[in-house]
């Protein structure tokens, strides 16, 4: 059963440090999404890619967050410098085509704690 | 501003009874709606969806109802089972003609099914 793989599962870091989260989408999927889950905001869309091209990153704080897809098997989300308010669970999801006819498959997330 | 709202953070029901989870939306451009289920320490998984041209979609014990005039949808689980205990997210997708694959999520409702 194909799955979206996210690493690391947990990350604890100090404020000001760089954090890199990685995602391996399901082979053949052409859309990749980064979501962040917090108690206050629920699941927020940070950025998404179609065929490795960034289409929307309006949900990301541009000054500290960056998202890339170096190749079709890897998506990365970087935070530099990290802040305590970035503490959340970050989910990667991949899909094939439009969300209405190809539901997203989520990874198990990276739980980030910034102290 | 939340475009998809789940106003009940939690719901508790007895095994065998019906569970009804509600969701409201504000954007009339949404034309496809989905429900995802999430267990602790896992990513959300797709459960059921409905197009705006329908008012009901059924899949086994799960039925989603859509009331477009009220901008309201609900998920019915009958009969409820302890394994259904999870957080349920309502999500909405834009008009397919827009070409966007984004999903907007509600904050979730935690369902507890008591044996």
């Amino acid at each position: 059963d194909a799955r979206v793989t996210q690493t690391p599962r947990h990350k604890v870091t100090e404020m000001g440090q760089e954090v890199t989260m990685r995602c391996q989408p399901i082979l053949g999927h052409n859309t990749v999404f980064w979501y962040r889950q917090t108690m206050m905001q629920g699941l927020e869309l940070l950025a998404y890619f179609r065929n490795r091209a960034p289409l929307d990153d309006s949900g990301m704080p541009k000054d500290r967050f960056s998202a890339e897809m170096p190749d079709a098997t890897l998506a990365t989300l970087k935070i530099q410098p990290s802040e305590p308010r970035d503490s959340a669970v970050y989910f990667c999801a991949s899909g094939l085509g439009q969300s209405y006819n190809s539901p997203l498959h989520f990874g198990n997330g990276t739980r980030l704690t910034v102290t | 501003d939340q475009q998809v709202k789940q106003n009940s953070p939690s719901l508790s029901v007895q095994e065998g009874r019906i569970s009804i989870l509600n969701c409201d939306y504000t954007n009339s451009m949404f034309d496809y709606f989905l429900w995802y289920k999430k267990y602790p320490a896992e990513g959300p998984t797709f459960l059921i969806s409905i197009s705006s041209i329908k008012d009901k979609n059924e899949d086994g014990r799960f039925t989603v109802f859509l009331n477009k005039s009220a901008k309201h949808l609900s998920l019915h689980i009958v009969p409820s089972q302890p394994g259904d205990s999870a957080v349920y997210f309502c999500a909405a997708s834009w008009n397919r003609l827009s070409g966007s694959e984004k999903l907007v999520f509600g904050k979730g409702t935690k369902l507890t099914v008591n044996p």
Side-chain angles (χ1 to χ4, degrees):
Chain A
D1 195 20
R3 297 187 179 193
V4 174
T5 303
Q6 288 187 249
T7 56
R9 288 298 310 273
H10 302 273
K11 177 71 175 179
V12 180
T13 191
E14 292 184 348
M15 181 175 61
Q17 296 297 306
E18 177 178 304
V19 175
T20 299
M21 290 169 270
R22 294 177 174 81
C23 168
Q24 181 176 356
I26 292 175
L27 188 64
H29 281 188
N30 64 346
T31 58
V32 174
F33 299 76
W34 283 103
Y35 280 90
R36 175 171 65 182
Q37 184 186 16
T38 62
M39 290 295 292
M40 292 296 293
Q41 299 297 329
L43 278 165
E44 303 174 272
L45 178 65
L46 297 175
Y48 88 96
F49 298 77
R50 185 198 299 153
N51 296 323
R52 294 178 56 203
L55 288 192
D56 189 339
D57 61 1
S58 59
M60 288 202 313
K62 300 291 191 303
D63 56 338
R64 299 184 300 109
F65 284 59
S66 62
E68 296 179 347
M69 279 202 74
D71 59 61
T73 65
L74 176 64
T76 62
L77 180 66
K78 292 186 180 181
I79 308 174
Q80 169 61 24
S82 57
E83 298 181 0
R85 59 178 168 157
D86 301 328
S87 297
V89 181
Y90 291 79
F91 288 103
C92 174
S94 69
L96 185 61
Q98 297 280 7
S99 299
Y100 58 84
N101 62 6
S102 176
L104 296 183
H105 295 254
F106 282 79
N108 285 333
T110 294
R111 180 175 293 275
L112 174 64
T113 303
V114 183
T115 61
Chain B
D1 186 29
Q2 284 272 313
Q3 298 187 72
V4 177
K5 299 177 183 178
Q6 295 177 255
N7 292 318
S8 297
S10 63
L11 174 68
S12 183
V13 300
Q14 286 299 120
E15 181 178 6
R17 306 296 290 269
I18 184 172
S19 295
I20 300 177
L21 296 97
N22 294 304
C23 178
D24 297 294
Y25 61 96
T26 58
N27 192 330
S28 59
M29 295 301 291
F30 289 141
D31 78 338
Y32 207 80
F33 304 90
L34 307 91
W35 286 93
Y36 281 76
K37 180 169 73 172
K38 183 184 180 302
Y39 292 118
E42 295 184 9
T45 56
F46 171 72
L47 187 59
I48 192 170
S49 61
I50 188 167
S51 165
S52 60
I53 62 174
K54 296 185 175 181
D55 56 17
K56 177 182 175 181
N57 188 27
E58 190 172 356
D59 183 1
R61 298 185 296 112
F62 302 90
T63 303
V64 56
F65 295 91
L66 176 62
N67 182 333
K68 282 190 67 178
S69 61
K71 293 190 176 68
H72 177 83
L73 63 156
S74 60
L75 174 68
H76 292 211
I77 307 173
V78 183
S80 302
Q81 299 174 354
D84 297 329
S85 297
V87 176
Y88 289 79
F89 290 97
C90 174
S93 179
W94 266 266
N95 187 304
R96 65 196 70 187
L97 294 178
S98 74
S100 173
E101 294 102 339
K102 293 196 297 186
L103 282 182
V104 179
F105 284 87
K107 292 186 179 181
T109 296
K110 183 177 182 180
L111 173 66
T112 302
V113 180
N114 301 302

